[in-house]
């Protein structure tokens, strides 16, 4: 646990120094491209990636698993073994470089195809200077945006081949390999090739740009959507579209006019043309499959092209590649179900002016028993979800005489879910709600709103729906003020890491809301031996024996005898390890035993916490659940942040999230003792204590 915490702290420090920006991308798995390349060149060898080696495990786990007929006969070959003159990029990166193989990742292909329309964005993902001629040693690298940070991913150039052809993504030109290697690097980030099967084009868009995606339901699209599309294309935004399916029987089904349901297309252009005395809006769409095209009006060989200016016709059709076609915007809205637009700089699409949005990003986690409270349907736990505050201070410029409002966009993304597919897990169902901060908490930051607030206040806004996509995003307009964003899974106790991004048109302050760690504890008075009740002394003599010292084993016997008499407590008894911990915490003279006064202090604490335990065992089950324990700790005077609550549940709860009496006692005594120790060491009361290694080990190893 401590190594994991130290690793997270180091990572956070690196990010504060700027690592994770595109110009200082994190080295994925610690692999540095230049160092590895230079080492291979100096040794005269070809790079072999030990973290993503050729074999069944990197291909897949189910339909493409080790024993699947689909993977039979796969061999791994380098491009020089596939053709005589391999090229990394041949005559520039174009949409024909992106052809689908035996993997259901058309969503990714659609994103890559759109990437080729913007050379600047392309080369953020595909760094320049890579080739099979200059400094070649079988190593390539690519950069992806991953949940708030850029990572540089190294791969070797061994690619899966079956029957002499590349199995997965490939270029129309047999000797061009940048797109196949890009797919391999993306598969490495996500665990294996099969993990890329099925998804939303917006996922690829965002991982290639760090932008934010908005989705439009084409059945309920805004009146100015064509203008929004044109403006987005002018800015280099990436656009994808698809046709919803109503059942798995519809998946990849081809319509009468040759559109594929459940398939990811890219939208690559939008133009108005003069046609028979009027203007017609057209959009250009690309199918990554390449061999199935729209056959309706404005398709490649339709008669409509005979009625527009020949020069414009030649200009528009000469750029068409196999799988790319024009259609009227009206047909597009009628035939397709949804449109995804990835805004590279999160510009306001519904304004005629370009705005640079103010952005904030927060990382968080939903953990069973501490921060995975589920949606508003679960009021007993909803309040435990992470909470974030946004202060909307400046109203938008264009108000049209209405009440001043502030535009902002909230995007909630769950992390690393594709990697978990091998373990049988997939996307959680996620969403968020937005609440107005009550007057008494305006201007405060160290406030985690509790259950009573959410029981008596409705949300001001929320995500359109809870859905099992990687990201849920919505745009809002609210009056200036302070608001709380509560991201959650739909059901409680669903675990996932997430990142929350907030974009606002004007400057807006935002922060995570969490309690400041503190403890309101009474001054601890050790009762002198002569003031201890005689009956207690007599009992102690019987329990401790002639040496008048309670050992760890004796403490275990004493406590378990007492607990066994309380039939309302569900417990398997105090373990030897728990008793050793309590002795170490209460032992003042360092002899690993408890004398009369030390035992008296411990006994009084146990009696006091027994009352608290019974008070918060609300269902009288003999145990507390994780959320009852959180309330119990607060009633005892402890204010802890989400991360600490999670650590306590991880350490002291049973697999079903119940906390029995012995674990509760160990937890709260340890918490109180460690807090008092810190206060005693913090002599200047600045909230910071400095340790040398001996002091640190002494404090941590023996408690």
């Amino acid at each position: 646990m401590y190594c994991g915490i130290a690793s997270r702290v180091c990572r956070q420090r690196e990010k504060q120094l700027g690592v994770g920006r595109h110009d200082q991308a994190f080295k994925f798995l610690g692999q540095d491209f230049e160092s590895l390349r230079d080492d291979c060149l100096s040794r005269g060898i070809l790079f072999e990636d030990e973290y993503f080696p050729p074999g069944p495990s990197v291909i897949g786990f189910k339909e493409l698993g080790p024993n699947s007929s689909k993977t039979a006969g796969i061999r791994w070959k380098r491009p020089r073994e596939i053709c005589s003159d391999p090229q990394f990029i041949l005559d520039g990166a174009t949409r024909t470089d992106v052809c689908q193989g035996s993997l259901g990742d058309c969503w990714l292909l659609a994103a890559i195809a759109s990437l080729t329309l913007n050379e600047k964005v392309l080369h953020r993902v595909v760094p320049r200077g890579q080739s099979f001629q200059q400094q070649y040693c079988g190593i390539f690298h690519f950069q992806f945006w991953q949940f708030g940070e850029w990572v540089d991913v190294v791969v070797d150039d061994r690619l899966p081949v079956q029957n002499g052809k590349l199995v997965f993504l490939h270029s129309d030109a047999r000797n061009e390999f940048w797109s196949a290697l890009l797919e391999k690097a993306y598969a490495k980030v996500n665990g294996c090739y099969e993990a890329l099967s099925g998804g939303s084009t917006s996922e690829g868009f965002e991982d290639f740009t760090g932008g934010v995606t908005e989705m439009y339901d084409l059945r309920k699209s805004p009146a100015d959507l064509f203008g929004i599309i044109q403006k987005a294309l002018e800015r280099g935004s990436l656009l994808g579209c698809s046709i919803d399916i109503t059942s798995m029987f519809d998946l990849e089904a081809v319509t009468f006019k040759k559109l594929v349901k459940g398939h990811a297309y890219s939208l690559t252009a939008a133009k108005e043309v003069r046609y028979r005395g009027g203007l017609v809006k057209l959009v250009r769409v690309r199918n990554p499959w390449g061999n199935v095209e729209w056959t309706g009006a404005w398709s490649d060989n339709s008669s409509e092209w005979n009625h527009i200016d020949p020069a414009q016709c030649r200009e528009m059709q000469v750029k068409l590649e196999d799988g790319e076609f024009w259609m009227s915007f009206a047909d597009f809205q009628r035939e397709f179900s949804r449109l995804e637009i990835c805004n590279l700089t999160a510009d306001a699409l519904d304004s005629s002016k370009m705005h640079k949005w103010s952005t904030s990003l927060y990382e968080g986690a939903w953990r069973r028993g501490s921060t995975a409270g589920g949606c508003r349907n679960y009021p007993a736990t909803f309040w435990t979800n992470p909470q974030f505050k946004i202060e909307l201070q400046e109203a938008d410029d264009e108000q049209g005489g209405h009440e001043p409002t502030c535009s902002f966009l909230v995007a909630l993304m769950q992390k690393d879910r594709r990697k978990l597919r091998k373990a049988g897990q997939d996307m959680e169902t996620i969403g968020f709600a937005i609440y107005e901060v009550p007057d008494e908490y305006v201007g405060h930051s160290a406030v985690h709103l509790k259950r009573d607030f959410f029981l008596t206040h409705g949300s001001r806004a929320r995500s359109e729906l809870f859905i099992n996509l990687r990201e849920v995003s919505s745009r809002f307009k609210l009056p200036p003020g302070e608001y709380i964003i509560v991201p959650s899974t739909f059901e409680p106790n669903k675990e996932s890491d997430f990142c929350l991004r907030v974009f606002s048109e004007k400057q807006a302050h935002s922060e995570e809301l969490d309690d400041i760690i503190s403890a309101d504890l009474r001054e601890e008075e050790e009762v002198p031996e002569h003031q201890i009740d005689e009956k207690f002394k007599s009992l102690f003599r019987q329990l401790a024996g002639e040496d008048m010292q309670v050992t760890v084993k004796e403490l275990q016997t004493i406590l378990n005898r007492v607990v066994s008499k309380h039939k309302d407590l569900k417990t398997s008894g105090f373990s030897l390890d728990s008793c050793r911990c309590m002795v170490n915490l209460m032992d003042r003279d360092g002899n690993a035993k408890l004398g009369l006064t030390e035992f008296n202090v411990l006994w009084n604490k146990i009696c006091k916490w027994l009352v608290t335990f019974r008070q918060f065992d609300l269902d009288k089950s003999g145990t507390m659940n994780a959320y009852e324990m959180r309330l119990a700790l607060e009633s005892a005077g402890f204010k802890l942040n989400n991360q600490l609550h999670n650590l306590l549940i991880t350490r002291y709860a049973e697999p079903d999230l119940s906390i029995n009496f012995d674990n509760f006692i160990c937890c709260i005594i340890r918490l109180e003792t460690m807090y008092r120790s810190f206060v005693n060491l913090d002599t200047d009361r600045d909230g910071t204590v400095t340790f040398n290694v001996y002091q640190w080990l002494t404090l941590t190893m023996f408690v």
Side-chain angles (χ1 to χ4, degrees), residues 651-702:
R651 171 65 178 83
Y652 293 102
E654 300 298 324
D656 64 355
L657 297 182
S658 65
I659 297 96
N660 56 31
F661 180 65
D662 50 302
N663 277 343
F664 174 71
I665 291 298
C666 290
C667 173
I668 200 163
I669 288 178
R670 184 172 192 150
L671 187 61
E672 179 182 350
T673 304
M674 295 302 291
Y675 188 84
R676 290 189 189 278
S677 298
F678 182 89
V679 171
N680 290 336
L681 293 167
D682 184 17
T683 54
D684 56 2
R685 301 293 183 263
D686 67 347
T688 303
V689 175
T690 303
F691 297 99
N692 61 36
V693 66
Y694 168 76
Q695 293 168 326
W696 171 253
L697 292 175
T698 301
L699 184 65
T700 57
M701 288 296 291
F702 301 103

Side-chain angles (χ1 to χ4, degrees), residues 300-315:
D300 287 4
N301 299 310
S302 68
S303 60
E304 283 82 6
W305 293 104
N306 299 327
H307 300 282
I308 70 167
D309 180 82
Q312 188 171 27
C313 180
R314 287 192 297 272
E315 177 192 344

Side-chain angles (χ1 to χ4, degrees), residues 288-351:
W289 275 2
N291 57 355
V292 181
E293 288 191 19
W294 163 253
T295 58
W298 298 99
S299 57
D300 287 4
N301 299 310
S302 68
S303 60
E304 283 82 6
W305 293 104
N306 299 327
H307 300 282
I308 70 167
D309 180 82
Q312 188 171 27
C313 180
R314 287 192 297 272
E315 177 192 344
M316 293 171 67
Q317 290 202 304
V318 75
K319 296 180 180 179
L320 290 184
E321 312 288 357
D322 187 26
E324 197 166 33
F325 53 85
W326 290 95
M327 62 192 306
S328 73
F329 183 60
D331 282 340
F332 172 76
Q333 288 182 292
R334 183 164 46 250
E335 298 288 341
F336 283 86
S337 307
R338 72 184 58 251
L339 171 71
E340 303 166 58
I341 301 179
C342 181
N343 308 295
L344 303 190
T345 54
D347 292 332
L349 295 182
D350 57 357
S351 169

Side-chain angles (χ1 to χ4, degrees), residues 485-505:
I485 304 170
V486 185
S488 73
T489 56
F490 184 77
E491 296 179 342
N493 295 325
K494 299 292 186 180
E495 292 197 329
S496 183
D497 295 329
F498 68 84
C499 64
L500 181 76
R501 293 187 288 170
V502 181
F503 302 81
S504 53
E505 284 202 9

Side-chain angles (χ1 to χ4, degrees), residues 558-577:
I558 294 165
L559 293 180
N560 286 339
R561 279 183 190 169
V562 173
V563 168
S564 66
K565 296 178 181 179
H566 293 274
K567 301 303 182 184
D568 61 329
L569 300 179
K570 185 178 178 181
T571 175
S572 56
F574 285 83
S575 68
L576 200 63
D577 186 55

Side-chain angles (χ1 to χ4, degrees), residues 88-357:
F88 185 63
I89 296 180
L90 181 65
D91 298 328
T94 65
R95 296 181 294 283
T96 58
D97 300 349
V98 188
C99 301
Q100 189 165 10
S102 304
L103 190 62
D105 61 346
C106 58
W107 62 275
L108 177 62
L109 275 67
I112 297 174
S114 294
L115 196 63
T116 64
L117 301 175
N118 188 319
E119 187 175 4
K120 181 179 179 181
V121 174
L122 170 71
H123 288 295
R124 286 167 64 92
V125 178
V126 186
R128 297 178 186 273
Q130 303 187 81
S131 78
F132 290 94
Q133 287 75 38
Q134 304 295 321
Q135 293 190 300
Y136 170 75
C137 59
I139 186 172
F140 294 86
H141 70 130
F142 302 86
Q143 295 195 344
F144 306 116
W145 183 89
Q146 289 286 283
F147 316 114
E149 60 195 34
W150 285 88
V151 295
D152 190 88
V153 184
V154 166
V155 290
D156 63 36
D157 62 351
R158 294 176 290 182
L159 295 167
V161 174
Q162 196 175 46
N163 300 322
K165 298 179 180 179
L166 289 176
V167 177
F168 302 126
L169 193 158
H170 55 278
S171 171
D172 195 42
R174 192 169 183 272
N175 64 332
E176 185 174 39
F177 292 95
W178 73 269
S179 57
L181 291 168
L182 169 62
E183 183 189 44
K184 181 177 182 179
Y186 200 62
K188 179 178 177 179
V189 166
N190 288 284
C192 66
Y193 277 96
E194 191 173 0
L196 304 183
S197 181
S200 167
T201 307
S202 62
E203 190 174 337
F205 284 168
E206 293 185 343
D207 285 352
F208 296 153
T209 66
V212 61
T213 299
E214 295 182 274
M215 292 194 183
Y216 290 89
D217 182 343
L218 294 176
R219 303 290 181 269
K220 300 180 288 187
S221 55
D224 60 341
L225 181 60
F226 188 77
I228 289 173
I229 290 172
Q230 285 185 310
K231 200 164 14 170
L233 288 165
E234 289 169 6
R235 283 198 301 268
S237 298
L238 306 182
L239 289 80
C241 50
S242 60
I243 303 171
D244 287 348
I245 60 174
T246 55
S247 72
M248 290 307 295
F249 295 106
D250 278 348
L251 186 62
E252 305 295 3
V254 180
T255 69
F256 175 69
K257 293 184 178 178
K258 302 298 184 183
L259 295 176
V260 186
K261 293 183 178 181
H263 190 65
Y265 290 79
S266 356
L267 195 156
T268 58
K271 285 186 179 292
E272 276 191 303
V273 298
R274 188 161 294 282
Y275 174 72
R276 290 183 169 176
L279 290 175
V280 176
K281 296 180 174 68
L282 302 179
V283 292
R284 188 175 69 197
V285 179
R286 173 168 167 76
N287 175 6
W289 275 2
N291 57 355
V292 181
E293 288 191 19
W294 163 253
T295 58
W298 298 99
S299 57
D300 287 4
N301 299 310
S302 68
S303 60
E304 283 82 6
W305 293 104
N306 299 327
H307 300 282
I308 70 167
D309 180 82
Q312 188 171 27
C313 180
R314 287 192 297 272
E315 177 192 344
M316 293 171 67
Q317 290 202 304
V318 75
K319 296 180 180 179
L320 290 184
E321 312 288 357
D322 187 26
E324 197 166 33
F325 53 85
W326 290 95
M327 62 192 306
S328 73
F329 183 60
D331 282 340
F332 172 76
Q333 288 182 292
R334 183 164 46 250
E335 298 288 341
F336 283 86
S337 307
R338 72 184 58 251
L339 171 71
E340 303 166 58
I341 301 179
C342 181
N343 308 295
L344 303 190
T345 54
D347 292 332
L349 295 182
D350 57 357
S351 169
S352 59
K353 297 180 181 179
M354 290 185 64
H355 299 286
K356 202 94 177 252
W357 285 37

